[in-house]
């Protein structure tokens, strides 16, 4: 018990234990995220030092400098953080309920389902001038519906006297291929002007986001994260296996369904505004698990922070390293994530 600190509040009506090691790692990665945040806000065609960025954020700057950082760069940074957090937490939840370290939103095809729904939404409700004829507020709902359909298909098709990890990965890859084909089909059927933009979006990019997008995504993400952290005890029980979970009185199937819907909501909201940024939901939980273990009270917060770092770093590199050309963030996450997935698959095969 020496590695835990007991915290009591409200006249000892509430008490909990803090893992010191996990707390330290959370602080380290929060500091790292803050550094990346300041560097990202200062990098671009106009370069500002971190100290200058801080002054701009506090209003001590010219209107031109404030416009560059607060109007153009800041919405993109915040969306990157929210998307990274959502994908990482969704990946951790999927790996728990499916009891498969290879499970992630994109590998299982759930991200692809959300992508199909969003591209179909854009194709159906865009005019020839590439302007939406309905409110953009409906796009997260469309992404959630698409992700949910694929999640249920995955769950049903992979079930055979239990969930087989190998069977789940194969079916997930098959569903991913199906959603990729459907996405290309709807891109062809939609307006030509939209096709090239949709292609960049599918790769995974936060290009063109604004404060209106932040106002939509931020409350959705915060609510879903709160629910995720409340349900950490159910995730820990799921990790014990179905027999033990049933033995201690847990309603496994109901909890599993609720967690599946929660993960698809996180994926759908992220994909709606950033496209199919791949492998974040695979890498972030694995990195966190190696650092703090598999207890979800420690794993989820650190996974969320690491996911935010991954997406924000990828987007910052993509929009600054190859100026004036901008590379989608999903290119960089896939470049790292694909070899990492092959490595994990090889390790699982040899265990």
């Amino acid at each position: 018990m020496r590695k835990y600190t007991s915290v009591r509040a409200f006249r000892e009506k509430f008490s909990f234990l803090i893992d010191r090691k996990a707390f330290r790692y959370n602080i380290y990665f929060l500091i790292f995220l803050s550094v990346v945040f300041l560097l990202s806000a200062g990098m671009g065609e106009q370069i500002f030092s971190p100290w200058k960025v801080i002054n701009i954020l506090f209003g001590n700057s010219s209107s031109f400098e404030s416009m560059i950082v607060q109007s153009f760069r800041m919405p993109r940074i915040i969306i990157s953080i929210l998307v990274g957090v959502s994908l990482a937490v969704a990946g951790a939840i999927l790996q728990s309920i499916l009891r498969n370290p290879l499970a992630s939103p994109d590998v299982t095809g759930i991200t692809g389902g959300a992508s199909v729904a969003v591209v179909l939404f854009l194709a159906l409700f865009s005019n020839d001038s590439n302007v939406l004829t309905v409110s953009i507020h409906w796009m997260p709902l469309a992404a959630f519906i698409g992700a949910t359909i694929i999640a249920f298909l995955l769950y049903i098709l992979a079930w055979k006297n239990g969930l087989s990890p190998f069977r789940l990965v194969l079916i997930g890859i098959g569903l991913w291929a199906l959603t990729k084909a459907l996405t290309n089909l709807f891109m062809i059927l939609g307006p030509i002007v939209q096709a090239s933009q949709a292609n960049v979006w599918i790769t995974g990019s936060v290009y063109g986001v604004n404060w209106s997008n932040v106002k939509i995504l931020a409350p959705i993400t915060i609510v879903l994260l709160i629910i995720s952290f409340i349900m950490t005890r159910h995730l820990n029980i799921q990790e014990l296996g179905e027999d033990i979970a049933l033995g201690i009185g847990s309603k496994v199937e109901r909890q599993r369904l609720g967690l599946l819907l929660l993960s698809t909501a996180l994926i759908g909201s992220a994909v709606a505004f950033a496209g199919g940024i791949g492998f974040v939901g695979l890498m972030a939980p694995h990195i966190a698990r190696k650092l703090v273990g598999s207890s979800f009270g420690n794993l989820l917060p650190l996974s969320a922070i690491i996911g935010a770092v991954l997406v924000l770093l990828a987007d910052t590199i993509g929009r600054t390293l190859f100026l004036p050309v901008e590379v989608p963030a999903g290119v960089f996450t896939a470049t790292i994530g694909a070899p990492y997935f092959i490595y994990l698959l090889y390790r699982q095969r040899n265990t």
Side-chain angles (χ1 to χ4, degrees):
M1 296 295 290
R2 286 183 296 178
K3 67 174 184 176
Y4 292 95
T5 298
S6 176
V7 176
R8 294 179 173 84
F10 300 104
R11 298 180 180 179
E12 301 191 357
K13 291 182 179 179
F14 296 94
S15 63
F16 52 92
L17 297 176
I18 295 178
D19 188 316
R20 296 175 189 171
K21 180 181 177 181
F23 183 76
R24 286 199 305 271
Y25 275 117
N26 277 281
I27 295 298
Y28 297 155
F29 276 94
L30 276 174
I31 294 172
F32 185 39
L33 178 61
S34 301
V35 172
V36 176
F37 176 93
L38 291 175
L39 292 175
S40 180
M43 294 176 67
E45 293 185 1
Q46 294 286 333
I47 299 176
F48 306 112
S49 67
W51 180 248
K52 181 64 176 178
V53 170
I54 294 173
N55 284 327
I56 292 172
L57 293 177
F58 281 98
N60 301 322
S61 63
S62 66
S63 58
F64 176 72
E65 293 171 336
S66 178
M67 180 184 66
I68 291 175
V69 174
Q70 296 190 11
S71 298
F72 296 148
R73 295 179 185 174
M74 200 55 57
R76 187 165 181 163
I77 291 171
I78 295 174
I79 289 288
S80 296
I81 292 172
L82 294 173
V83 167
V85 166
S86 297
L87 293 176
V89 172
I93 292 173
L94 284 174
Q95 289 173 13
S96 172
I97 62 177
L98 301 177
R99 299 198 304 278
N100 186 349
L102 299 178
S104 71
D106 38 347
V107 173
T108 54
I110 297 176
T111 300
S115 297
V116 170
V118 171
V119 171
L120 180 60
F121 175 85
L122 294 174
L124 292 176
F125 299 108
S126 293
N127 57 29
D128 292 335
S129 301
N130 201 32
V131 176
L132 280 176
T133 57
V134 298
S135 173
I136 195 175
H137 291 74
W138 292 105
M139 196 159 68
L141 177 60
F144 172 71
I145 293 172
T148 303
I149 291 172
I150 294 299
F152 277 117
L153 283 175
L154 177 69
Y155 191 87
I156 293 168
L157 295 175
W159 181 269
K160 186 178 181 181
N161 299 323
L163 286 172
S164 167
F166 186 70
R167 185 179 167 85
L168 188 144
V169 171
L170 286 180
I171 292 173
I173 292 173
L175 290 173
W176 172 83
L178 174 64
T179 57
K180 183 71 174 177
L182 290 174
T183 301
N184 291 332
L185 174 63
F186 294 138
M187 284 174 57
I188 294 171
L189 295 176
I192 295 176
V193 178
Q194 182 191 318
S196 60
Q197 296 178 351
N199 191 46
V200 172
W201 175 84
I202 290 166
T203 305
S205 174
V206 293
Y207 175 80
V209 297
N210 52 47
W211 283 111
S212 297
N213 303 132
V214 174
K215 290 176 182 178
I216 298 170
L217 183 59
I220 294 173
T221 303
I222 291 170
V223 170
L224 293 175
L225 286 179
I226 291 172
I227 297 172
S228 300
F229 290 124
I230 291 173
M231 297 186 73
T232 52
R233 61 191 183 93
H234 297 310
L235 289 167
N236 286 323
I237 294 172
Q238 294 279 338
E239 284 283 294
L240 298 174
E242 190 168 336
D243 292 337
I244 296 177
L246 287 170
I248 61 176
S250 179
K251 298 177 180 178
V252 176
E253 292 303 325
R254 183 183 299 178
Q255 292 171 3
R256 192 173 287 166
L257 179 61
L259 290 166
L260 185 64
L261 289 174
L262 178 60
S263 65
T264 54
L266 286 163
I267 296 164
S269 61
V271 171
F273 293 100
I277 297 179
F279 294 101
V280 175
L282 176 72
M283 292 187 290
H286 272 281
I287 296 170
R289 191 174 286 107
K290 287 182 178 295
L291 295 175
V292 299
S294 58
S295 173
F296 277 85
N298 300 327
L299 179 65
L300 279 188
L302 187 57
S303 296
I305 300 170
I306 293 174
V309 170
L310 288 173
V311 176
L312 183 55
L313 266 177
D315 181 62
T316 303
I317 293 171
R319 69 177 175 83
T320 59
L321 192 60
F322 301 98
L323 285 173
V325 177
E326 183 167 319
V327 181
V331 172
F332 295 99
T333 58
T335 301
I336 302 171
Y340 190 68
F341 172 71
I342 294 170
Y343 164 72
L344 291 174
L345 189 61
Y346 177 79
R347 275 191 57 188
Q348 189 182 57
R349 180 183 175 186
N350 288 278
T351 54

